[in-house]
Amino acid sequence: MNALDFLVVIVSMVGIAAYGVWKTKGKRNLDGYLKGDPSMQWMGIGISVMATQASAITFISTPGQGFDSGLGFVQNYFGMPLALILISAVFLPVYRRLNVFTAYEFLGRRFNARTRLLGAALFLLQRGLAAGITIYAPAIILSTVLGWRLDLTIILSGCVVIVYTVLGGSQAVSLTQKYQMAVIFGGMVLAFVILVVKLPIGLTDALTIAGGCNKLEAVDFSLNIQKRYTFWSGLLGGFFLSLSYFGTDQSQVQRYITGASLRESRLGLMFNAVFKIPMQFLILLLGVLVFVFFQFEAPPVFFNEAAWKARSVRESGSELRAIEQEYAQAHERKRERMIAWVEAARAGDAPAEARAREQALEALQRSAAIREAGKAALLKAAPQASSNDADYVFIAFVLKYLPHGVVGLLIAAFFAAALSSKAAELNALGSTTTVDFYRHIVKKEAGDAHYVAASKWFTFFWGLVALAFALFANLAENLIQAINIIGSIFYGVVLALFLVAFFLRRVGGRAVFWAALGAQLLVFALYFTLNISYLWYNLIGCAACVLFSLILQALFGPDPESSSREAIQGCR
Amino acid sequence: MKSTAAASESGRRAPVPAPPAEEKETGLPMLHTWNGVYLAVFGCFLFWVSLLYLLSVSFL
């Protein structure tokens, strides 16, 4: 990075944050602070929802996923449009008509106070832990490749987001997300165009090579449950995951309950239902095209070059240096065979093309085997290093092959994505703590100014928790996986609370509260005794809570505490 | 909201109010009902999946 790149990063990041603070200064109204701009139109809501979901990891890691495994990951998003339709038709009208600040207020009105607190507590626990990772995950990648200090990267990006989220509240979050998304889309589109221009072959030839290397298998209808990404797992798993995330997670609910009308909120959600799949496809395709690019341009053995160089320059790094040379020779052979394949394909000679393709794939396998040997040698030299370098593929390409200024724009895009999702999380954590705990239990009668001040302090507190967690995360291994496990352990039960509230009208608060506790304990017990993928706990927790609710309701009989159920029904 | 809550407190079933006009109207050309919008979104989903499938089989 040079001075121009740094200028682009600082101006776009600090400038957008400062604009958000300036534009929303003096907001003392609780409604405006927690819910945001009441005149927001559907496009603003849609972008805000999209920006909250798309973290820096989306734009750094997803191209790496495309590079490594092709387009198959796009199937994970197949359940999302259907979940958003259900939320728009059922969840959203109730949230808006009850005029709630948080999704958990709805649980209080439908069931009782303790079920509301249970839902809010599960959210705070899960999202509070995940908040640290939203800063940490991109910081570790950016600091490694840019040579910045990890702790300073975490503190600086954390402080920027805390300042504008605390000062401007939900309105500043939505406003800054709009401009941050403009930076992100501008950067990604520019990277895509430059990549296509830099390819030594045409786009059709590039797709021929990618398809021949099994990188374009976007839809797989097989029923094999061993496969990680299939149409069916994406449709079913993605549906439940999206339903719990968009329908019950306050960081998302807070983005779409604001807005000028129910129509605007609904259209904002439908905007995401239509455009999320093509957006993810294009990000993955970017990674696939980077894969094709590196069939002609010499790639590093290991894309986390800082980790590789730290070991290869040492006296003991002779094995790594030998592998580097071997890999470079293998790449030359592979490049020649790829060119022969493209020429045969262009000539339309099918048998010659088949032969050339076979030879090119052999050369590719040879290169891949040397790369794997390189990873193994690196792990031997540094057992604490991670052998997964997929997260570094795209950023390595950006830094080496894009012109200055564009590099700054891409780095700004990664930071913008980190800040936009982080801001929404902090905003939601502050709101839930204020509305569901402080205003509900500690101080029930106070003015708006008091609650706005309390909300600012709680947002600040959660910002500090996230910062501390991100700094501590430096010491832990497998942290991202740990956070995903924590999410899966709680998400199923939280979703079930809402599904019972909306669809099982006979079930009262007493039954669902004990059912949720029982289901949560069951999930904990299964987690410590079974050896299954953690994603299954989403389904197990949800199904168990729904089933227990029905059984307990039959045992308990009518629940006088849940009389407000009638009010909810009246709304629908 | 107040009237429905009061009705349930007194033991009577709350009257279900008619949805406000904004819930019925989409304000979109050609798609006048929300069910129509959802159907169109579902159609878009099928369209994207079909395109992705075509891409998968075209460059095998």
Side-chain angles (χ1 to χ4, degrees):
Chain A
M1 280 181 75
N2 68 3
L4 176 64
D5 296 321
F6 276 105
L7 189 71
V8 172
V9 172
I10 291 167
V11 167
S12 53
M13 287 303 89
V14 179
I16 290 172
Y19 177 72
V21 172
W22 172 73
K23 194 78 179 164
T24 55
K25 67 178 177 184
K27 301 283 175 193
R28 291 284 177 270
N29 173 288
L30 187 65
D31 224 51
Y33 188 80
L34 294 187
K35 285 189 179 173
D37 183 3
S39 62
M40 190 180 268
Q41 302 297 300
W42 65 268
M43 182 64 100
I45 295 170
I47 286 174
S48 190
V49 167
M50 194 175 264
T52 299
Q53 190 192 19
S55 68
I57 290 300
T58 308
F59 299 99
I60 295 175
S61 297
T62 310
Q65 183 99 27
F67 178 94
D68 244 13
S69 318
L71 298 178
F73 183 65
V74 76
Q75 294 168 115
N76 261 19
Y77 296 89
F78 283 180
M80 190 178 140
L82 308 181
L84 288 177
I85 287 173
L86 184 65
I87 292 165
S88 172
V90 179
F91 289 41
L92 179 56
V94 176
Y95 289 157
R96 279 196 68 101
R97 268 184 264 168
L98 292 178
N99 198 25
V100 291
F101 285 109
T102 72
Y104 318 107
E105 268 188 282
F106 161 66
L107 291 179
R109 300 210 195 174
R110 166 65 176 84
F111 297 123
N112 51 35
R114 59 186 173 178
T115 309
R116 169 188 181 174
L117 293 180
L118 179 66
L122 291 176
F123 166 74
L124 290 180
L125 191 63
Q126 172 207 326
R127 188 53 61 184
L129 289 175
I133 224 58
T134 320
I135 293 181
Y136 173 75
I140 182 118
I141 297 166
L142 291 168
S143 64
T144 304
V145 294
L146 299 173
W148 299 350
R149 276 181 56 179
L150 176 64
D151 51 358
L152 284 182
T153 311
I154 289 171
I155 290 169
L156 282 177
S157 57
C159 285
V160 170
V161 73
I162 288 171
V163 166
Y164 78 77
T165 310
V166 167
L167 292 178
S170 191
Q171 201 164 346
V173 173
S174 300
L175 188 68
T176 48
Q177 280 179 327
K178 203 160 57 177
Y179 297 101
Q180 284 160 342
M181 281 304 271
V183 172
I184 293 166
F185 281 136
M188 296 303 276
V189 168
L190 210 51
F192 197 96
V193 171
I194 293 173
L195 172 59
V196 170
V197 170
K198 274 184 176 283
L199 279 173
I201 53 176
L203 192 58
T204 312
D205 295 330
L207 291 177
T208 302
I209 287 182
C213 297
N214 297 323
K215 301 288 183 189
L216 295 183
E217 287 178 16
V219 187
D220 180 351
F221 287 106
S222 75
L223 295 169
N224 184 355
I225 58 166
Q226 304 290 330
K227 283 193 173 180
R228 185 176 282 183
Y229 309 123
T230 67
F231 174 83
W232 305 109
S233 70
L235 196 67
L236 196 69
F239 176 76
F240 276 98
L241 196 65
S242 299
L243 199 59
S244 52
Y245 176 60
F246 288 99
T248 74
D249 191 308
Q250 178 62 15
S251 64
Q252 276 297 352
V253 173
Q254 193 157 7
R255 310 277 39 101
Y256 61 74
I257 55 171
T258 183
S261 66
L262 176 65
R263 172 187 180 272
E264 303 302 327
S265 298
R266 275 180 161 162
L267 290 179
L269 286 179
M270 291 305 99
F271 170 81
N272 279 270
V274 170
F275 289 108
K276 185 66 185 180
I277 291 175
M279 185 185 114
Q280 288 299 137
F281 161 71
L282 287 174
I283 297 172
L284 284 165
L285 186 63
L286 191 64
V288 170
L289 292 179
V290 170
F291 166 83
V292 175
F293 178 80
F294 279 124
Q295 302 312 306
F296 299 93
E297 196 72 31
V301 181
F302 195 65
F303 280 93
N304 182 355
E305 289 183 88
W308 180 270
K309 277 180 186 157
R311 272 82 194 177
S312 66
V313 293
R314 290 181 192 167
E315 210 171 304
S316 59
S318 58
E319 189 187 356
L320 298 185
R321 290 195 293 275
I323 288 173
E324 263 178 36
Q325 281 186 351
E326 195 186 353
Y327 191 62
Q329 287 165 1
H331 170 73
E332 272 310 305
R333 271 197 304 278
K334 183 182 67 175
R335 195 174 71 87
E336 286 165 12
R337 290 184 177 184
M338 289 288 172
I339 291 169
W341 179 10
V342 170
E343 283 171 354
R346 280 180 188 163
D349 182 350
E353 188 195 344
R355 272 197 308 277
R357 172 181 161 165
E358 199 177 319
Q359 288 176 342
L361 291 180
E362 270 175 22
L364 182 66
Q365 279 174 0
R366 172 77 189 132
S367 275
I370 297 171
R371 198 164 114 82
E372 287 307 313
K375 286 182 184 180
L378 179 68
L379 270 185
K380 203 170 81 182
Q384 78 283 7
S386 167
S387 64
N388 183 6
D389 64 342
D391 291 346
Y392 294 85
V393 169
F394 184 53
I395 199 160
F397 166 79
V398 167
L399 290 175
K400 197 164 179 184
Y401 295 99
L402 296 192
H404 287 296
V406 180
V407 171
L409 185 65
L410 261 296
I411 300 297
F414 299 146
F415 274 112
L419 299 191
S420 62
S421 49
K422 176 86 240 148
E425 278 179 346
L426 288 185
N427 195 211
L429 288 164
S431 306
T432 305
T433 314
T434 306
V435 174
D436 293 302
F437 288 93
Y438 184 71
R439 194 174 74 162
H440 185 57
I441 298 170
V442 181
K443 196 155 181 96
K444 292 186 177 178
E445 300 293 333
D448 266 14
H450 177 84
Y451 290 126
V452 168
S455 193
K456 286 182 176 181
W457 279 111
F458 286 128
T459 307
F460 182 67
F461 164 77
W462 282 110
L464 291 185
V465 169
L467 263 184
F469 191 74
L471 289 169
F472 167 75
N474 195 15
L475 305 171
E477 283 185 66
N478 297 323
L479 201 74
I480 295 171
Q481 185 164 309
I483 293 301
N484 282 334
I485 291 170
I486 291 167
S488 295
I489 285 173
F490 293 113
Y491 251 160
V493 174
V494 176
L495 175 62
L497 285 174
F498 283 84
L499 290 182
V500 170
F502 281 114
F503 299 109
L504 300 177
R505 296 179 186 184
R506 287 184 182 175
V507 177
R510 193 157 54 128
V512 80
F513 178 80
W514 292 110
L517 283 183
Q520 198 59 71
L521 286 174
L522 177 72
V523 170
F524 281 136
L526 292 178
Y527 174 71
F528 288 112
T529 51
L530 291 184
N531 185 21
I532 57 171
S533 167
Y534 60 81
L535 286 173
W536 285 108
Y537 294 115
N538 288 298
L539 188 62
I540 292 171
C542 184
C545 183
V546 171
L547 187 68
F548 293 170
S549 297
L550 290 169
I551 295 170
L552 289 176
Q553 184 58 40
L555 291 173
F556 290 160
D559 184 357
E561 264 191 314
S562 299
S563 58
S564 60
R565 183 172 55 137
E566 295 291 329
I568 309 299
Q569 286 174 353
C571 278
R572 295 183 60 186
Chain B
M1 280 310 305
K2 279 179 185 169
S3 62
T4 52
S8 30
E9 277 163 18
S10 62
R12 286 181 288 110
R13 188 173 180 80
V16 178
E22 67 154 9
E23 273 193 35
K24 285 185 176 174
E25 291 163 11
T26 65
L28 297 173
M30 293 194 287
L31 298 168
H32 300 295
T33 66
W34 285 108
N35 284 344
V37 173
Y38 299 146
L39 211 59
V41 170
F42 185 67
C44 270
F45 164 68
L46 293 180
F47 175 71
W48 293 131
V49 173
S50 306
L51 277 187
L52 288 170
Y53 181 71
L54 274 179
L55 182 70
S56 303
V57 295
S58 300
F59 291 95
L60 272 177

